[in-house]
Amino acid sequence: MMGVANENIKRAEEVVNSIGIPSQPGIVLAIHKEINDPCPDFKKITDLIGHDVAIAAKILKIANSPFFGSRQVSSLEHALSLLGIGNFNNLIITSALRDVLKGCGPSDEVFWNHSMLVARITAYIAKKTGVLPEEEAYLLGLFHDCAIPLLLKKFPDYVQVFDSAIDYRPESIYNEEKLVKTNHSIVGYIVAKSWRLPEVMCEAIQFHHADSAVRQGDPSVSKARAALLLSEYICHCYTAEISGIPENDDEWLNHYGDVICELDIDVDDIKDFKEDSIDMLSRMEYTCV
Ligand SMILES: [Fe+2]
Ligand SMILES: [Fe+2]
């Protein structure tokens, strides 16, 4: 089993090396370092961003978008004081990730909307269940499918499996393996590691489509994975509702037992989370930032 896992990672590394891993921009690294200082210097953080006009403009655009509450944010200092340091950092990472993953034509918007929706719902589930910090949950949702646009750029045929990979269908990993000899979960794990996301999140990404029989050693990974899986399910229901396409619960049924066990919730909680999330997303408008 371990041999197979190592083989899979080796193949994914070959693919990532041939694509060229999208590196974490220097500004993200510098801000990450400052934020993790026991006494972060907020002025230094806004000055760092202020030197990059393009990223500063994008951050203000995202801060003012429905995904962050459309709050008339006029300056970086204002964004930082309104959102708090954790959300502000997430906003910088969101902007940087979006920049490095663009270039897939019409699929860009579909991919990005999915990632932003799952990020918001995963953060909401984390808040309700307490299984991981809200800001980490947001990043987990944001990064969980980050390999999809990379595989699309590397393998033009990947467009054949794009819909099933984004739309949370059980056949997606099998079809990806058949087509390109790797899959977006494992390539995403490598990208997340290179962006220095916490190990728990990297592993949750690696196993987010894994069979329910696969149990992970670290309980934090299983809990983070469960929050992500419930978020994927709710996102699927939401997009099915607004697009008029019938829901397909096959993938959800594979994971349902694990999710209620890991999150310590019941069927009524799931119903409530689903209704609250859909209500929250409807009020935000379904739009790409
Ligand atoms: Fe996925
Ligand atoms: Fe997804």
Side-chain angles (χ1 to χ4, degrees):
M1 184 67 186
M2 188 54 84
V4 174
N6 288 340
E7 268 307 299
N8 290 346
I9 291 181
K10 211 172 133 206
R11 164 65 184 158
E13 280 171 346
E14 281 168 16
V15 170
V16 166
N17 289 337
S18 70
I19 301 168
I21 208 161
S23 58
Q24 200 175 26
I27 192 166
V28 177
L29 277 173
I31 289 164
H32 181 78
K33 194 166 161 256
E34 193 55 43
I35 283 173
N36 284 298
D37 190 284
C39 299
D41 181 340
F42 290 178
K43 175 148 185 354
K44 198 168 163 191
I45 292 170
T46 52
D47 282 353
L48 275 168
I49 300 165
H51 285 131
D52 189 326
V53 178
I55 201 162
K58 275 185 209 133
I59 284 167
L60 287 177
K61 189 178 171 196
I62 299 173
N64 280 298
S65 75
F67 277 106
F68 278 88
S70 300
R71 298 191 240 197
Q72 301 269 309
V73 178
S74 55
S75 66
L76 293 171
E77 290 78 10
H78 190 195
L80 183 54
S81 69
L82 269 178
L83 299 171
I85 193 83
N87 282 326
F88 190 75
N89 188 38
N90 281 352
L91 211 142
I92 293 160
I93 296 174
T94 302
S95 168
L97 187 69
R98 183 156 195 208
D99 247 16
V100 300
L101 295 182
K102 70 185 176 195
C104 297
S107 303
D108 273 349
E109 189 172 336
V110 177
F111 163 75
W112 200 251
N113 274 325
H114 174 74
S115 302
M116 291 292 284
L117 290 172
V118 174
R120 289 304 303 244
I121 303 168
T122 314
Y124 163 81
I125 292 166
K127 187 179 175 184
K128 297 299 271 187
T129 60
V131 292
L132 75 163
E134 229 181 304
E135 285 144 11
E136 285 186 17
Y138 172 89
L139 287 183
L140 174 60
L142 190 74
F143 274 81
H144 79 288
D145 281 338
C146 68
I148 290 178
L150 300 175
L151 290 168
L152 203 51
K153 280 193 232 179
K154 168 73 180 169
F155 304 105
D157 285 351
Y158 191 85
V159 73
Q160 296 168 27
V161 294
F162 175 81
D163 284 347
S164 64
I166 283 283
D167 197 29
Y168 185 62
R169 290 186 214 143
E171 71 275 16
S172 70
I173 294 297
Y174 173 79
N175 288 342
E176 288 175 57
E177 290 283 351
K178 212 168 129 192
L179 193 70
V180 298
K181 308 282 182 288
T182 189
N183 68 69
H184 74 272
S185 304
I186 199 150
V187 175
Y189 165 77
I190 293 167
V191 176
K193 272 187 94 76
S194 82
W195 278 55
R196 301 169 198 222
L197 261 57
E199 186 61 25
V200 165
M201 290 157 65
C202 298
E203 290 198 25
I205 290 170
Q206 183 180 1
F207 297 108
H208 78 275
H209 287 278
D211 191 87
S212 59
V214 176
R215 298 272 177 192
Q216 300 312 310
D218 182 349
S220 308
V221 174
S222 304
K223 289 187 187 306
R225 175 178 172 269
L228 177 60
L229 289 170
L230 178 54
S231 173
E232 286 264 49
Y233 167 63
I234 293 173
C235 181
H236 170 77
C237 298
Y238 176 66
T239 47
E241 186 179 298
I242 62 170
S243 64
I245 298 166
E247 282 176 29
N248 178 338
D249 291 348
D250 294 353
E251 177 80 343
W252 170 238
L253 294 174
N254 283 340
H255 300 300
Y256 172 80
D258 269 4
V259 170
I260 56 166
C261 174
E262 295 296 345
L263 300 183
D264 194 19
I265 55 175
D266 60 26
V267 68
D268 289 332
D269 293 323
I270 289 176
K271 195 166 161 273
D272 289 347
F273 291 175
K274 192 172 157 183
E275 283 172 8
D276 287 355
S277 300
I278 290 178
D279 183 50
M280 170 182 82
L281 297 175
S282 306
R283 280 185 280 111
M284 278 176 192
E285 300 172 23
Y286 188 68
T287 179
C288 197
V289 291

